[in-house]
Amino acid sequence: SPLAAQKNNSKSAKRKRTTVNPDSARFQLFQTSVTNLFKKMRTEELGLPDVIKAANNTIKVHNKESNTAEDYFDEDEAQLIVNKLEEDNRVMFRDGVIYQI
C-alpha cells in the first residue's frame, strides 16, 4: 500500500544534521580520532576523508535490515564537527584539509 511505502521511506530517510553538540559523545569520539590521527601520521595536515575513515574504523555500526556495516559518521556531520573545532581554535579547516594549530 502507498501508506506503508511512505512510512518506510520516512523511517529510512536520514535527517540532515545542521548542528553538533560539542559535549556529545559522538563529537568527542570524532575529535579524539582527529587528535590520534595527527599523532599517528606525524603530520600537521589531514584530509577530511582520511579522518572520517579513521573515525569510522573506531566504531562499527551494524544495519540489521540490510545486514551490512554502516558508517557512523558521514561527510556532512564530519564537516560540522570540524567547523566547530575550527571555531574553537582547535584546528584550521580549508578546502577539505584539517590543519593542526
Side-chain angles (χ1 to χ4, degrees):
S1 79
L3 188 62
Q6 191 179 359
K7 202 173 180 181
N8 285 346
N9 287 345
S10 66
K11 187 180 170 192
S12 63
K14 268 184 137 178
R15 199 168 53 82
K16 191 174 158 129
R17 283 174 188 272
T18 53
T19 60
V20 288
N21 174 2
D23 296 322
S24 74
R26 285 182 80 91
F27 186 97
Q28 291 171 9
L29 178 68
F30 193 88
Q31 183 179 2
T32 300
S33 294
V34 172
T35 304
N36 290 344
L37 198 57
F38 273 126
K39 286 178 188 165
K40 182 180 167 190
M41 303 301 285
R42 293 195 174 101
T43 184
E44 290 181 6
E45 53 186 72
L46 296 169
L48 185 61
D50 297 330
V51 175
I52 295 170
K53 191 172 162 188
N56 283 329
N57 283 339
T58 63
I59 187 160
K60 296 291 176 210
V61 180
H62 188 75
N63 182 329
K64 289 189 180 87
E65 286 176 30
S66 62
N67 199 25
T68 54
E70 275 186 0
D71 286 342
Y72 192 64
F73 297 100
D74 62 17
E75 192 173 346
D76 290 336
E77 182 181 13
Q79 281 200 319
L80 288 170
I81 293 172
V82 173
N83 288 340
K84 179 64 181 147
L85 289 173
E86 184 177 47
E87 272 176 39
D88 296 344
N89 295 318
R90 304 282 182 98
V91 298
M92 193 171 88
F93 184 51
R94 296 285 179 275
D95 303 319
V97 179
I98 303 166
Y99 299 93
Q100 203 170 23
I101 54 174

